[in-house]
Amino acid sequence: MPLSPYTHVFAGNPLDRAGDRRADAAWLAGLKADPAARALAFWNGKPLLADGRIAWLPVGFAEGLASPDRTLFLGLDGESGVFAVDIEGEADPGEGVLEGRGAFADLRAVISTLTMEDAAILAAARSLFEWRRRHRYCSVCGQPSDLAEGGWKRVCPSCRAEHFPRTDPVAIMLPWHGDRCLLGRQASWVDGMFSALAGFIEPGESVEEACARELSEEAGLRTRNVVYHSSQPWPFPSSLMIGLTAEVEDDEGQPDQTELSEVRWFTRPEARALLAGEIPGLKCPGPHAIAHHLLRTWAET
Ligand SMILES: [Zn+2]
């Protein structure tokens, strides 16, 4: 039975992360030595794909493409180890050592073409690699840190501080009042695009408080009630989108002209038409985005 009625793109990773075993270096080495072990490859944040699927490589071959601290243990597929390697450098390995095995693709650009399973595996790998790329040095003493636990932790050899991958929580919410909901647009978005409102949750703030603050700051709305909908990992680089609906006190609302350039109220029939792409000149995010499902749930209630 699913954990939630909503499993979004980038969630639903089918691998067993084996978080209770990955600290065992000998166990990981044994998994790598198994001929059934496989690895995916990233190059500068882009995954290697072939025919729209992850292009799996023998793990020994993949490890040779990157320095030793750039191999990540993703989890178990049955009893077999699944790994990822992070290749850096200017030259595209897809046109060199990996020629014929696939091509490196922009993950955002191919979201809607991936299987749910592949998207979730790639999301975990991408977020971890981005964390490694941005946290190579101990944030306590500044020394280079060492990879541990298959890449899920870094340890400082100097001060022994332990560092863990970060996940940045974002509240993403659909405000509604009476029979209308509000969507906003940022000036930088493609013409006609409207979506749910969103913002990072700040230290010392609950999810509900962040939702109310963002609605106040961005659209001048006073929040009456917040209801959790679902969540979505978003690996650009490491957000967790926490989807909410929020009843607000009136149907006024003004864009702050900083985050939002425009806000607009939609009735349920209008929201359904927007989702169906039937309002000329207006659009909303597709099904790969949690905002789509927030709007659909409200519109179809
Ligand atoms: Zn340190």
Side-chain angles (χ1 to χ4, degrees):
M1 188 171 165
L3 299 172
S4 159
Y6 309 96
T7 300
H8 298 296
V9 173
F10 297 133
N13 187 337
L15 301 178
D16 171 1
R17 293 169 184 243
D20 53 343
R21 302 175 77 182
R22 64 195 179 204
D24 183 342
W27 180 74
L28 281 179
L31 281 181
K32 274 186 199 170
D34 179 351
R38 64 192 198 272
L40 59 83
F42 269 78
W43 170 59
N44 294 342
K46 298 177 179 179
L48 183 70
L49 303 179
D51 298 325
R53 300 295 308 267
I54 294 172
W56 293 106
L57 306 170
V59 70
F61 170 71
E63 271 201 294
L65 303 173
S67 61
D69 75 338
R70 292 184 190 162
T71 300
L72 166 74
F73 169 63
L74 286 177
L76 292 171
D77 177 6
E79 296 299 313
S80 301
V82 178
F83 296 83
V85 296
D86 189 22
I87 306 167
E88 292 181 335
E90 289 292 309
D92 182 350
E95 296 175 356
V97 67
L98 290 173
E99 190 169 2
R101 290 181 178 268
F104 290 94
D106 184 313
L107 188 54
R108 278 181 193 268
V110 299
I111 289 175
S112 58
T113 67
L114 295 169
T115 66
M116 288 288 285
E117 291 79 8
D118 279 4
I121 292 169
L122 292 172
R126 188 179 195 285
S127 284
L128 270 176
F129 284 147
E130 288 303 308
W131 170 69
R132 187 202 66 83
R133 205 185 311 283
R134 295 161 192 230
H135 296 82
R136 300 177 194 200
Y137 296 91
C138 175
S139 56
V140 178
C141 76
Q143 291 297 308
S145 57
D146 296 330
L147 175 147
E149 299 194 9
W152 295 84
K153 179 170 145 181
R154 298 190 73 84
V155 179
C156 175
S158 178
C159 76
R160 306 309 303 169
E162 297 180 335
H163 304 282
F164 296 91
R166 57 184 291 167
T167 295
D168 301 324
V170 174
I172 179 164
M173 51 272 174
L174 182 73
W176 62 273
H177 180 82
D179 62 355
R180 296 198 296 169
C181 74
L182 178 136
L183 298 176
R185 69 169 269 106
Q186 296 182 11
S188 61
W189 291 352
V190 296
D191 286 350
M193 174 66 77
F194 279 78
S195 186
L197 279 56
F200 285 103
I201 297 171
E202 296 189 340
E205 194 173 49
S206 72
V207 173
E208 294 83 355
E209 288 165 347
C211 170
R213 176 180 53 74
E214 290 287 345
L215 290 179
S216 172
E217 289 174 359
E218 294 188 5
L221 295 168
R222 290 187 302 279
T223 299
R224 186 180 284 170
N225 184 34
V226 178
V227 174
Y228 174 76
H229 179 276
S230 59
S231 64
Q232 180 182 34
W234 193 250
F236 306 104
S238 56
S239 295
L240 177 66
M241 312 300 286
I242 301 172
L244 310 160
T245 53
E247 184 183 10
V248 295
E249 291 195 350
D250 56 50
D251 56 1
E252 302 293 319
Q254 292 291 329
D256 63 356
Q257 299 301 339
T258 305
E259 296 277 335
L260 296 181
S261 59
E262 192 178 348
V263 296
R264 191 183 279 234
W265 290 92
F266 294 82
T267 63
R268 282 187 166 84
E270 288 169 343
R272 290 195 290 270
L274 181 67
L275 287 160
E278 293 170 351
I279 302 182
L282 295 185
K283 43 180 98 88
C284 65
H288 64 277
I290 190 172
H292 179 97
H293 300 278
L294 287 171
L295 184 60
R296 181 173 294 286
T297 300
W298 179 83
E300 295 181 349
T301 299

